[in-house]
Amino acid sequence: MQKQIANIIAESVAVKNKVLQDEKLLKTVEDIVPLMVGALKNGNRIYFCGNGGSAADAQHLAAEFSGRFYTDREALPAEALHCNTSYLTAVANDYGYDVVYARLIRGIANKGDILVGLSTSGNSENIIKAFEVAREKKVVTIAFTGDSGGKMKPLSDYLINIPSKDTPRIQESHILLGHIICQLVEQEYFKK
């Protein structure tokens, strides 16, 4: 079993090495930092959405902004859209699960806000619909996906497509890059 554990770790490291070698991907991460800092300084909000493990990652990253990352500081306006289970279950029941995020973005997002969607396939219908509404409302879209970017690719203003087709390895890199973004946004926003 130790050999299997070592192989899984090696696979994770291999994907991260591909990320490290992808200059375009690293440039996208770099470009997102001043975008988020500017949006926050303008009074805008950052919204996160995902399904399953990606919902957990969305909630995790939102908490890094609204709580704290490295420094004791004021909360930044960020939230994961799936945390209100009464809303989520009512809308899924009454209108369908594919519109749970789109309906919320239509109701609460404003021009200049940022919507971060996490989907390892890039094909999550509820996130695609949310990105479509975000486009209408001039909300900036950032997609965290796997290799191809899926159907979210053309709807994304910024695409972080991890060079892998393996869901766990993609999610591990999503958190890595998400943490990097959180750290740098916190650093830049609160710079004295």
Side-chain angles (χ1 to χ4, degrees):
M1 190 176 282
Q2 266 191 347
K3 184 172 180 165
Q4 185 178 9
I5 293 167
N7 286 340
I8 293 167
I9 293 170
E11 289 169 10
S12 183
V13 170
V15 171
K16 289 180 179 80
N17 276 323
K18 286 182 187 176
V19 169
L20 186 59
Q21 301 304 316
D22 190 333
E23 289 183 28
K24 182 179 177 189
L25 185 57
L26 297 179
K27 176 70 171 124
T28 301
V29 171
E30 180 183 29
D31 291 345
I32 288 169
V33 173
L35 171 81
M36 286 186 168
V37 171
L40 292 167
K41 286 189 174 186
N42 286 333
N44 291 104
R45 304 178 65 81
I46 303 172
Y47 299 105
F48 292 84
C49 61
N51 297 291
S54 293
D57 292 343
Q59 188 171 341
H60 176 163
L61 294 173
E64 303 291 21
F65 282 101
S66 60
R68 65 181 295 262
F69 195 71
Y70 271 121
T71 61
D72 289 324
R73 40 82 170 171
E74 66 184 64
L76 295 171
E79 65 181 293
L81 297 178
H82 63 277
C83 291
N84 182 339
T85 54
S86 295
Y87 165 83
L88 196 68
T89 55
V91 170
N93 184 64
D94 295 346
Y95 298 101
Y97 189 67
D98 61 327
V99 298
V100 292
Y101 294 137
R103 194 167 168 81
L104 203 49
I105 289 299
R106 188 169 305 284
I108 66 174
N110 295 302
K111 179 180 177 179
D113 287 343
I114 296 172
L115 175 60
V116 180
L118 291 88
S119 169
T120 58
S121 69
N123 295 320
S124 298
E125 194 62 33
N126 58 354
I127 300 175
I128 292 167
K129 288 185 183 303
F131 272 34
E132 290 169 347
V133 171
R135 278 275 164 102
E136 290 171 29
K137 296 192 75 173
K138 298 192 180 351
V139 169
V140 177
T141 55
I142 299 172
F144 280 68
T145 70
D147 198 28
S148 73
K151 294 176 184 174
M152 289 169 61
K153 182 177 180 176
L155 296 168
S156 303
D157 295 309
Y158 297 86
L159 177 64
I160 296 176
N161 55 327
I162 302 303
S164 176
K165 292 176 177 28
D166 187 343
T167 296
R169 304 299 80 85
I170 295 166
Q171 289 174 328
E172 291 158 6
S173 291
H174 283 175
I175 282 298
L176 170 67
L177 296 180
H179 273 166
I180 290 168
I181 291 167
C182 290
Q183 179 177 340
L184 296 176
V185 168
E186 182 179 75
Q187 172 187 299
E188 295 301 308
Y189 184 89
F190 293 100
K191 192 185 324 187
K192 294 182 181 181

